[in-house]
Amino acid sequence: ACLPSLHAREWRVASAAEFSAATPVAGDVIVWAPGRYADVAMRLKAEGTEAAPIIVRAEKPGGAVFTGASRIEVTGDLDGLVLRVPPED
């Protein structure tokens, strides 16, 4: 069985460029700063594992809001991928 990395890194991002420049490995977390992001195109190439997934989350729940034509492109091992999008208020 794979064990989670003992040296997981937290990547703090506040733009699509910072997000796309991140090079996370299994067990890392990408944290979006609070804000409204319009028409953002994000790219992520990464390989997480079941035991040590790569997590993308907002610093504060609901705090990173993507609007307009925002999109995300993820490549790599997507086995077991789960996307959680909270319902609109």
Side-chain angles (χ1 to χ4, degrees):
C2 293
L3 297 176
S5 170
L6 297 176
H7 304 289
R9 177 174 176 183
E10 184 172 278
W11 299 82
R12 302 185 63 74
V13 299
S15 70
E18 290 177 358
F19 182 89
S20 295
T23 55
V25 297
D28 285 1
V29 180
I30 299 175
V31 181
W32 272 94
R36 294 187 68 81
Y37 302 95
D39 304 321
V40 174
M42 297 171 274
R43 290 193 174 121
L44 177 64
K45 179 175 171 60
E47 302 275 339
T49 67
E50 185 175 345
I54 295 171
I55 297 170
V56 178
R57 67 174 180 82
E59 183 177 315
K60 296 179 182 176
V65 178
F66 298 89
T67 61
S70 292
R71 63 188 189 280
I72 183 169
E73 176 185 327
V74 180
T75 58
D77 183 1
L78 303 180
D79 185 32
L81 177 68
V82 176
L83 297 176
R84 291 191 182 109
V85 179
E88 294 284 329
D89 290 333

